[in-house]
């Protein structure tokens, strides 16, 4: 006989109806959205009070690193993306490059077709949000073009599988194709709008000192090369040794720089006679550019509460709720004082076995 009444051992999840469909309340508790809450006869007054509350919790997501007898669970990519509010982070200039790097890994790796259907739909919605943001801001067009090219290859590969049709739900794949087509249409219709003649000052009107300060704040050597090919004045400024010297000291420590100087027999050479552009590329090929320095903001992992969060927003840490937790950790013999560690996009996917 089927068990119809409420099971006291497992009260179940509280579900909320949103504009995008039904979603778990615990997933949406970190995201401030307009909600359309359906009234269910099984919902208690306490649950309704929680749903109607206006308190906003910073985006965060608890991660299960190891399953034990006491802790059993798994990490879902779709739930983590929602709890960390990746879709809204697309329009944050500090997080844009990080989100795009994550999308690039998902599309170019095993492909989004290896993910659950809900995660596929969510990631394509993020890609459409990226396309809309790039179209509105007129920035990072090369990033969007790279993602569109990977999506085009993905569609071609999937159409060649299983007698011309991808495995899985055909209606789901048809919806994905329509979303990809919209993304391609947005990317193809982007046109760079030049500022009007009355808008001053323009880049060419800035003095050389201001242009140099702009160049000194570029942290990617590829952007420096692209800037040099765009304007002769920028090319002359980028050829200065100061630009590459500061870029080398920004990405690498003193020990690494001294090792390369010894290797290139430049340790005893005077500063003005060193070719810092060649030194930087030697450092990059030897050590690689630290990935956490490539993004204005990168996800962080809290060692105390096993939680992923955005550093600028923070998270409800267990150490804030229990002030003596740090003292207990030191008494337990943990000498590592770093409570948080950066999480590059590749490391983020490893939490979900991707």
């Amino acid at each position: 006989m089927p068990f119809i009444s409420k099971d006291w051992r497992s009260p179940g999840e509280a579900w909320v109806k949103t504009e995008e469909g039904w979603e778990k309340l615990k997933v949406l508790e970190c995201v401030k959205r307009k909600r359309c809450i359906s009234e269910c006869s099984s919902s208690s007054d306490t649950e309704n009070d929680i749903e109607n509350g206006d308190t906003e919790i910073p985006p965060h997501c608890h991660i299960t690193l190891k399953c034990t007898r006491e802790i059993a669970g798994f990490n879902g990519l779709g739930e983590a993306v929602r709890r960390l509010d990746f879709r809204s982070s697309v329009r944050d200039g500090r997080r844009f490059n990080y989100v795009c790097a994550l999308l690039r890994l998902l599309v170019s790796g095993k492909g989004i077709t290896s993910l659950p259907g809900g995660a596929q739909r969510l990631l394509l919605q993020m890609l459409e949000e990226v396309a809309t943001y790039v179209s509105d801001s007129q920035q990072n067009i090369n990033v969007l073009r790279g993602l569109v090219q990977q999506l085009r290859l993905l569609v071609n590969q999937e159409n060649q599988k299983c007698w011309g049709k991808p495995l899985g739900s055909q209606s789901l794949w048809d919806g994905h194709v329509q979303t990809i087509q919209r993304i391609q249409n947005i990317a193809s219709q982007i046109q760079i709008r030049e500022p009007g003649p009355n808008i001053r000052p323009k880049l060419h009107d800035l003095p050389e000192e201001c242009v140099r300060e702009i160049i000194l704040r570029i942290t990617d050597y590829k952007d420096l090369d692209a800037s040099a090919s765009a304007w002769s004045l920028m090319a002359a400024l980028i050829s200065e040794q100061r630009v590459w010297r500061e870029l080398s000291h920004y990405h690498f420590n003193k020990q690494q720089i001294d090792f390369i100087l010894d290797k290139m027999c430049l340790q005893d050479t005077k500063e003005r006679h060193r070719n810092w552009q060649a030194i930087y590329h030697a450092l990059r090929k030897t050590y690689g550019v630290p990935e956490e320095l490539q993004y204005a903001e990168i996800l962080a992992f809290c060692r105390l509460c096993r939680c992923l969060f955005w550093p600028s927003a923070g998270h409800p840490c267990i150490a804030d709720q229990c002030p003596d937790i740090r003292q207990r950790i030191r008494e337990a013999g943990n000498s590592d004082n770093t409570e948080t560690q950066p999480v590059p996009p590749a490391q983020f996917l490893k939490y979900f076995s991707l």
Side-chain angles (χ1 to χ4, degrees):
M1 179 178 293
F3 189 83
I4 301 177
S5 63
K6 186 175 180 180
D7 190 354
W8 60 270
R9 296 167 297 179
S10 178
E13 299 285 357
W15 290 81
V16 178
K17 187 177 182 180
T18 65
E19 297 175 354
E20 301 171 359
W22 289 89
E23 187 53 68
K24 297 178 183 178
L25 176 62
K26 69 177 184 180
V27 174
L28 296 178
E29 65 182 359
C30 299
V31 184
K32 189 176 182 180
R33 293 181 181 176
K34 295 181 179 179
R35 301 174 181 176
C36 178
I37 304 174
S38 63
E39 297 179 357
C40 299
S41 58
S42 60
S43 300
S44 62
D45 295 335
T46 305
E47 292 177 348
N48 291 333
D49 293 338
I50 294 175
E51 291 175 357
N52 295 327
D54 295 332
T55 58
E56 182 180 1
I57 305 174
H60 67 283
C61 179
H62 293 280
I63 294 296
T64 302
L65 298 180
K66 183 179 180 180
C67 292
T68 62
R69 183 176 299 177
E70 294 80 11
I71 302 176
F74 64 94
N75 305 318
L77 179 62
E79 180 178 341
V81 168
R82 286 189 176 92
R83 292 182 69 94
L84 291 169
D85 201 11
F86 270 75
R87 188 172 178 182
S88 299
S89 299
V90 169
R91 295 188 173 271
D92 191 331
R94 297 168 298 177
R95 305 174 185 175
F96 177 82
N97 289 327
Y98 184 90
V99 175
C100 289
L102 180 64
L103 292 174
R104 192 181 303 113
L105 289 176
L106 286 171
V107 176
S108 63
K110 296 180 180 179
I112 61 175
T113 54
S114 61
L115 302 175
Q120 295 178 22
R121 188 182 297 108
L122 179 61
L123 293 176
L124 286 175
Q125 290 173 355
M126 290 172 55
L127 286 167
E128 190 171 6
E129 188 72 22
V130 169
T132 305
Y133 174 70
V134 170
S135 178
D136 296 339
S137 63
Q138 299 281 301
Q139 297 176 3
N140 301 298
I141 298 179
N142 57 333
V143 176
L144 177 60
R145 289 173 178 171
L147 291 173
V148 169
Q149 180 65 24
Q150 292 176 346
L151 286 175
R152 188 179 295 110
L153 295 175
L154 174 66
V155 173
N156 294 335
Q157 292 175 0
E158 293 299 323
N159 288 335
Q160 296 174 2
K161 294 181 180 179
C162 192
W163 298 283
K165 296 182 180 180
L167 295 175
S169 172
Q170 184 63 34
S171 60
L172 180 65
W173 177 249
D174 292 340
H176 293 347
V177 172
Q178 294 177 4
T179 304
I180 293 173
Q181 186 63 42
R182 289 197 303 268
I183 296 172
Q184 293 176 348
N185 293 336
I186 294 174
S188 61
Q189 294 174 1
I190 294 178
Q191 295 181 356
I192 302 298
R193 298 186 299 268
E194 296 185 1
N198 298 327
I199 298 178
R200 297 287 180 178
K202 296 183 179 180
L203 181 62
H204 292 76
D205 299 329
L206 296 178
E208 183 177 322
E209 293 77 10
C210 294
V211 179
R212 182 182 289 107
E213 291 299 323
I214 294 174
I215 292 174
L216 289 173
R217 283 159 176 77
I218 297 178
T219 59
D220 192 347
Y221 74 96
K222 296 180 181 179
D223 294 336
L224 289 176
D225 295 337
S227 301
S229 61
W231 189 16
S232 58
L233 177 59
M234 279 191 170
L237 295 176
I238 290 172
S239 63
E240 294 179 356
Q241 296 300 319
R242 177 190 174 187
V243 176
W244 297 98
R245 182 179 68 249
E246 294 194 7
L247 190 64
S248 300
H249 286 286
Y250 176 76
H251 282 155
F252 307 100
N253 55 39
K254 187 176 183 302
Q255 292 76 13
Q256 294 172 336
I257 295 175
D258 290 340
F259 174 78
I260 294 298
L261 291 177
D262 291 337
K263 186 178 180 180
M264 300 177 66
C265 301
L266 297 175
Q267 192 66 263
D268 299 331
T269 307
K270 293 183 179 180
E271 184 76 20
R272 63 176 180 271
H273 296 305
R274 293 175 180 174
N275 186 355
W276 279 99
Q277 184 173 359
I279 294 172
Y280 173 79
H281 288 298
L283 286 164
R284 179 178 59 83
K285 293 177 182 177
T286 304
Y287 299 104
V289 179
E291 194 168 6
E292 60 269 15
L293 298 178
Q294 299 179 14
Y295 312 104
E297 186 174 10
I298 186 172
L299 274 180
F301 176 75
C302 180
R303 298 174 182 267
L304 300 180
C305 55
R306 299 289 191 265
C307 181
L308 291 173
F309 65 98
W310 294 106
S312 62
H315 72 291
C317 185
I318 188 175
D320 299 332
Q321 303 173 4
C322 184
D324 60 339
I325 189 67
R326 294 185 176 88
Q327 182 63 27
R328 295 179 183 178
I329 293 176
R330 285 192 292 267
E331 292 176 355
N334 189 357
S335 59
D336 192 359
N337 295 325
T338 56
E339 298 180 359
T340 62
Q341 65 179 16
V343 181
Q347 178 63 35
F348 175 80
L349 295 180
K350 288 182 180 179
Y351 292 132
F352 311 97
S353 302
L354 296 175

